[in-house]
Amino acid sequence: VLSGVETTYNLYNLVFCIVLLSMLIQGTLLPRVAGGLSMIDEQGDISKTFTDYQEERDISFIKIHLEPGHPWRGRALRELMPLKDLLIVMVVRGEDTIVPNGDTRLEEGDLLVLAAYPFEERENLRLSELTVERGHRLAGRTLADIASAPNSPKYLIVLIQRGQETVIPTGSTVILPGDVLILAQSEGVKPRAQAGAAEE
């Protein structure tokens, strides 16, 4: 707008000062004006999400999907084995969200949200990555096949990064070329075993 116009002041500094002055006046008067107009509900419920509590408290939330044949399917929560330091806080069933109690009976297809303490003893566990190239000996094999093979590797595949998807594997999970495997090993494993695991 002011291109080619001579000014005796710096336009940026002027606008910056106006913004600061506006914030000072509005920030000071807004709570008082809102209170005077009865716009503040002192009894209002300020809702928090799972993420809020996960960031503020020493707790983590995890999810479990009850696939067909899951051992918890058809059982009431009170019938499950004692889950020490683990609490089922929500059951998502289709379009419904259920806050469960001991009488809640789980069904196939339910999504469970569980609260648990995070794992902190990371010095006892070593994580590493392995990229499965085309032609790699693990490509096309299931985790069950790998675990049952003679001289099976001394690690656990805890996570698979498959493109933009993160897969939590089971015994029937097939490893595909391009997968990035997250391997967990005890710190007690000797360096030579670590090298052998990478070769696998």
Side-chain angles (χ1 to χ4, degrees), residues 130 138 146 152-157 181 183-185 193 196-198 200:
L130 172 64
L138 295 183
I146 297 170
S152 59
K154 304 301 181 183
Y155 58 75
L156 175 67
I157 301 175
L181 312 181
L183 313 177
Q185 286 182 289
E200 281 287 319

Side-chain angles (χ1 to χ4, degrees), residues 32-156:
R32 297 181 181 179
V33 172
L37 297 176
S38 300
M39 298 174 64
I40 299 177
D41 184 3
E42 300 293 347
Q43 305 300 321
D45 178 25
I46 302 177
S47 300
K48 289 192 175 184
T49 65
F50 285 142
T51 304
D52 294 327
Y53 285 106
Q54 190 165 254
E55 293 174 350
E56 298 173 3
R57 302 288 189 270
D58 187 22
I59 194 170
S60 293
F61 292 96
I62 58 176
K63 64 179 181 180
I64 297 178
H65 192 262
L66 298 192
E67 302 287 352
H70 193 284
W72 290 2
R73 182 177 54 90
R75 302 178 65 182
L77 295 186
R78 67 173 71 255
E79 298 173 359
L80 301 179
M81 61 181 181
L83 303 176
K84 182 176 175 57
D85 296 332
L86 188 66
L87 178 66
I88 299 175
V89 297
M90 188 172 71
V91 178
V92 179
R93 181 173 297 160
E95 300 295 326
D96 298 327
T97 299
I98 303 170
V99 178
N101 55 42
D103 295 323
T104 302
R105 192 165 295 277
L106 302 178
E107 299 180 2
E108 180 180 306
D110 283 352
L111 176 65
L112 312 183
V113 178
L114 299 89
Y117 293 115
F119 178 69
E120 296 295 343
E121 299 178 6
R122 297 183 180 88
E123 66 274 7
N124 298 324
L125 185 70
R126 179 171 61 246
L127 296 178
S128 57
E129 290 187 3
L130 172 64
T131 301
V132 179
E133 304 290 349
R134 188 175 299 277
H136 193 282
R137 61 186 304 176
L138 295 183
R141 300 174 63 186
T142 65
L143 269 62
D145 292 338
I146 297 170
S148 61
N151 301 321
S152 59
K154 304 301 181 183
Y155 58 75
L156 175 67

Side-chain angles (χ1 to χ4, degrees), residues 145-198:
D145 292 338
I146 297 170
S148 61
N151 301 321
S152 59
K154 304 301 181 183
Y155 58 75
L156 175 67
I157 301 175
V158 296
L159 205 66
I160 300 177
Q161 190 66 42
R162 182 170 292 164
Q164 299 299 318
E165 181 185 6
T166 299
V167 178
I168 299 178
T170 64
S172 60
T173 301
V174 179
I175 297 177
L176 304 178
D179 285 352
V180 178
L181 312 181
I182 311 301
L183 313 177
Q185 286 182 289
S186 169
E187 284 293 345
V189 177
K190 296 180 181 180
R192 184 171 182 178
Q194 166 71 6

